[in-house]
Amino acid sequence: WGSYVHNLVITGSLGIGKTYVMVTLLLYRLTLCTLLKNPQKFFDLGKGDKIVYNILSVTKQAVNETAFGAARNFMSLSPYFIEECNFDPDSKYTNFRIELPGNVNLTAGSKGWHILGRNVLGVAMDEGNWRNEANPDTKAYDLYNEVRVRIQNRFMRSGKFLPAISILASSAKDESSFTEQVIKEIDKANDPVHQLVYRHAVYNIKPHILKMEGTFFRVAYGLKTQEPYILTGLYDREKTPLPGDEKHEEVPAGANVEFVPIEYMTEFKRRTRVALQSISGISTGGSNRFFPSTIDIERCIELAESEGVVNPARKDSPLLMPVSMEDSINVWDYLDHNKFITKNQGRFVPKRHPYAARFAHLDLATSSVAGLAVCHLVGQRQIQGVVNRETGVPFAEWRLVVEYDFILSLSAGRTKPISLEKVQNFIFWLIQECGFRFSMVTADQFQSVMPLQMLQSRNVPTDQLSIDRDKKVYTAWRQAFEELRLRPYRQDMMVQEAENLVDVETEKKVDHPKNGSKDTSDAAAGAYFNAIESDEKGSVNVDNVPSIHSNFGLTPASAVERPPVEIPLPEGYNRMRVYS
């Protein structure tokens, strides 16, 4: 059927004619349909059923000024459409419907109901027009997904063959954009016969127009721990190093590299990330993300690992730990107890900083995912910066360092919801069996009353903490990452959620993307906030709370450390001196 492709994304840099190509491909498919002797029979439709090819945009005015207007212009220059299909080149088609022979129609719209109940064999969408909408990625994805589902349900044949097509045209933006979500789905499908992504840079599309001299520099990108940057050294068209005084820098392990004509060097030096998007057509971390990159998160994880912080989960434990009443498995059954508790004078105590108070936050749920995080203060780190960017007045102050004991993602069972009782029992178990001392346990307002009351009945300090009512919790958490004051072990769910958090400017909260989550990151951010807001912070004037470990130092050379001092022991504890 002309081509087996039924899902196509055309993306890349600005000015390469993405909308032009999108409209051309849609009209090509429409032309094939009109050439069929009996298109309704070919597509297993009823006699006389209308066949629709649709162009979507944010508003009818937008679609008329862009893709639908381009389609009319193309058709007005085509003898086939004018002579064989009765297209009127003088008509503006203000009703956004062009009727062709065989009950084939080209239409345009902006809402899902514009295609509701219709036999849509082709849809084209210019995603760039959605950028002025509130929550553009969510709305665009909802509409695009709705169209895709309708096409598949109506026309999918055996062997993945689908005689319909959906085309998305968009410039490269950021990795959290709607277009990138669709691209990830296509990559995951790994079906290049039926689903394709075309991504091109302007200098690859228009070399005959730009007439560049043929010298290239390289840009490294794609590292989660580093922003895109220019590598030293120049190259010819065959990517052969050119002689010169400048060293040809090696590509970092795990990085992607783009060869860019030297004519664009100035723009790349000024704004590497933006130039990579607008000139090379490569999507990178987005400005609408709460964390523009995961550089600081990865550095904190590396510091934690170097200081001996480990993942307490058993190696065979799933990332999403099912905790429901359909079995007898408890939260602690997923953990390797030797990693976080040890025996001291006949009783179990936390292996790391046993005398430090713990702080926890529960992001509760029953049917989806719940997050649970426990952390403690481990000292302070001197942070230096500038108070006033204009006057350049410097500052230096000591700020709290927080280490995580647990960052857990809990899920429902196969048939029953998450057991809130088992979640609260885990806190009791840490207190009674493992010697943990809690100064504060908080939970969001959703279903938190009963668990918090049970904890209060056992003299555990509790409170409610809503992460979604104010950005201050997440803002404080991000600042701690930026200042390398967090010590989390690698918990993939937390890292993934943090990487995709969206800063919603029109609201007072940090949100997750469409079909995403933030339960685990909510728990981690809430536990940290409890720690830095606690009364305990006033007594933490050292870099290290006493621990049975000898590795107390902060690893980075930039960290200014204070000498340890004696800290009063909680009632009932004996001091044990450990020799290295």
Side-chain angles (χ1 to χ4, degrees):
W1 174 240
S3 171
Y4 290 106
V5 174
H6 60 71
N7 191 15
L8 176 65
V9 173
I10 306 170
T11 186
S13 63
L14 301 175
I16 61 173
K18 295 176 293 295
T19 301
Y20 181 100
V21 175
M22 177 187 73
V23 172
T24 301
L25 290 173
L26 189 71
L27 290 180
Y28 171 73
R29 284 295 187 94
L30 183 149
T31 301
L32 293 178
C33 184
T34 59
L35 289 170
L36 292 172
K37 184 176 181 180
N38 189 339
Q40 282 73 20
K41 183 177 181 180
F42 182 86
F43 295 116
D44 293 330
L45 299 174
K47 186 177 180 179
D49 283 353
K50 289 185 178 180
I51 294 174
V52 175
Y53 289 82
N54 186 268
I55 299 174
L56 288 173
S57 189
V58 62
T59 64
K60 285 190 173 182
Q61 180 180 353
V63 76
N64 188 51
E65 293 174 352
T66 55
F68 187 69
R72 291 199 322 270
N73 290 337
F74 292 168
M75 295 172 78
S76 67
L77 298 174
S78 167
Y80 173 76
F81 282 114
I82 295 174
E83 298 170 8
E84 302 294 333
C85 299
N86 302 319
F87 175 79
D88 183 0
D90 296 322
S91 174
K92 298 297 183 182
Y93 291 98
T94 55
N95 63 346
F96 298 97
R97 177 183 299 276
I98 301 174
E99 296 183 358
L100 303 172
N103 266 342
V104 179
N105 294 261
L106 176 64
T107 65
S110 59
K111 305 294 182 182
W113 55 264
H114 286 145
I115 62 168
L116 187 64
R118 299 177 181 178
N119 301 309
V120 178
L121 273 169
V123 61
M125 184 173 178
D126 191 347
E127 187 260 355
N129 291 325
W130 294 80
R131 285 293 162 182
N132 294 324
E133 274 272 289
N135 302 318
D137 293 314
T138 298
K139 292 186 177 181
Y141 186 89
D142 286 343
L143 179 55
Y144 188 81
N145 190 56
E146 180 181 356
V147 172
R148 286 285 307 164
V149 169
R150 289 184 181 278
I151 289 177
Q152 288 178 328
N153 289 344
R154 192 174 293 264
F155 294 108
M156 180 65 79
R157 309 282 181 84
S158 61
K160 297 183 180 179
F161 173 65
L162 182 62
I165 190 169
S166 55
I167 309 171
L168 171 62
S170 171
S171 297
K173 289 292 182 180
D174 57 73
E175 292 173 345
S176 60
S177 71
F178 148 63
T179 304
E180 292 303 316
Q181 293 182 55
V182 176
I183 290 174
K184 287 179 181 178
E185 291 174 2
I186 293 177
D187 290 341
K188 186 177 180 180
N190 192 24
D191 183 20
V193 175
H194 303 98
Q195 304 189 62
L196 285 177
V197 176
Y198 287 131
R199 188 194 296 270
H200 295 288
V202 63
Y203 43 82
N204 291 331
I205 294 296
K206 300 180 177 180
H208 56 295
I209 297 175
L210 299 174
K211 296 181 181 179
M212 294 163 290
E213 69 174 64
T215 303
F216 295 80
F217 63 93
R218 299 168 302 155
V219 178
Y221 68 95
L223 289 173
K224 290 186 176 181
T225 58
Q226 195 161 356
E227 291 287 305
Y229 68 99
I230 298 172
L231 297 166
T232 58
L234 298 178
Y235 296 76
D236 62 18
R237 294 184 185 276
E238 283 70 41
K239 301 180 182 179
T240 302
L242 294 175
D245 296 333
E246 200 171 39
K247 177 184 176 182
H248 289 83
E249 190 174 354
E250 292 187 4
V251 179
N256 299 315
V257 64
E258 175 72 5
F259 284 80
V260 182
I262 198 170
E263 285 81 359
Y264 296 101
M265 176 69 84
T266 301
E267 183 63 25
F268 271 81
K269 282 185 176 180
R270 184 166 60 246
R271 298 184 302 169
T272 306
R273 176 197 296 273
V274 175
L276 203 61
Q277 294 175 348
S278 60
I279 297 174
S280 298
I282 296 172
S283 297
T284 58
S287 58
N288 65 320
R289 287 189 176 188
F290 188 70
F291 288 92
S293 75
T294 58
I295 296 173
D296 298 322
I297 296 175
E298 294 292 337
R299 287 176 178 170
C300 284
I301 292 173
E302 290 173 2
L303 287 174
E305 290 176 349
S306 69
E307 294 171 18
V309 179
V310 298
N311 187 337
R314 288 166 35 191
K315 290 184 178 180
D316 59 347
S317 294
L319 182 60
L320 284 174
M321 302 174 176
V323 181
S324 71
M325 295 307 293
E326 67 187 22
D327 55 41
S328 60
I329 298 176
N330 285 286
V331 176
W332 56 77
D333 292 321
Y334 293 107
L335 306 177
D336 184 346
H337 304 170
N338 291 324
K339 291 181 178 179
F340 60 91
I341 56 176
T342 189
K343 232 173 187 181
N344 180 3
Q345 295 186 351
R347 64 182 299 176
F348 286 106
V349 295
K351 210 167 190 177
R352 296 195 52 89
H353 314 110
Y355 312 117
R358 263 55 183 187
F359 307 88
H361 181 72
L362 314 175
D363 187 78
L364 297 174
T366 56
S367 59
S368 55
V369 176
L372 189 160
V374 178
C375 67
H376 61 279
L377 297 168
V378 295
Q380 296 185 357
R381 186 173 190 271
Q382 191 180 59
I383 304 301
Q384 299 177 346
V386 176
V387 175
N388 189 309
R389 293 183 181 276
E390 295 181 0
T391 62
V393 177
F395 80 88
E397 66 182 45
W398 294 90
R399 294 180 182 173
L400 296 167
V401 178
V402 172
E403 179 180 302
Y404 285 93
D405 301 279
F406 305 99
I407 306 170
L408 306 179
S409 304
L410 310 176
S411 69
R414 292 186 298 271
T415 60
K416 294 188 178 181
I418 295 172
S419 170
L420 300 183
E421 181 181 356
K422 289 187 176 181
V423 175
Q424 72 187 26
N425 286 345
F426 176 62
I427 302 295
F428 292 147
W429 179 78
L430 290 176
I431 296 171
Q432 297 167 358
E433 304 297 333
C434 304
F436 280 69
R437 177 172 66 93
F438 282 89
S439 264
M440 179 58 65
V441 177
T442 58
D444 55 12
Q445 296 186 5
F446 178 71
Q447 296 180 336
S448 67
V449 175
M450 183 178 296
L452 292 183
Q453 285 180 347
M454 292 299 296
L455 291 169
Q456 286 174 348
S457 69
R458 304 284 186 90
N459 297 319
V460 178
T462 63
D463 201 353
Q464 288 187 333
L465 176 65
S466 178
I467 308 295
D468 288 335
R469 289 194 172 186
D470 198 317
K471 292 182 181 180
K472 65 181 181 182
V473 175
Y474 264 114
T475 301
W477 194 52
R478 180 177 62 185
Q479 184 177 11
F481 274 118
E482 292 171 347
E483 296 172 353
L484 305 183
R485 294 187 291 106
L486 288 180
R487 300 294 181 267
Y489 58 87
R490 182 174 298 282
Q491 209 273 6
D492 290 337
M493 183 67 73
M494 183 204 72
V495 174
Q496 178 183 338
E497 290 180 349
E499 182 181 4
N500 292 297
L501 288 171
V502 179
D503 192 357
V504 184
E505 296 182 359
T506 58
E507 301 181 21
K508 294 183 178 180
K509 68 176 183 178
V510 176
D511 209 348
H512 56 74
K514 178 69 176 178
N515 298 325
S517 64
K518 64 183 188 77
D519 309 280
T520 309
S521 62
D522 275 0
Y528 166 78
F529 192 77
N530 290 338
I532 64 170
E533 290 294 307
S534 70
D535 294 336
E536 301 276 341
K537 67 180 181 181
S539 62
V540 181
N541 296 316
V542 295
D543 278 315
N544 312 288
V545 175
S547 167
I548 68 167
H549 288 278
S550 61
N551 181 12
F552 296 143
L554 289 173
T555 300
S558 59
V560 181
E561 301 176 15
R562 293 180 175 180
V565 299
E566 293 290 325
I567 295 181
L569 293 177
E571 184 178 353
Y573 280 83
N574 297 316
R575 186 179 302 280
M576 178 180 71
R577 184 175 299 278
V578 177
Y579 296 91
S580 60

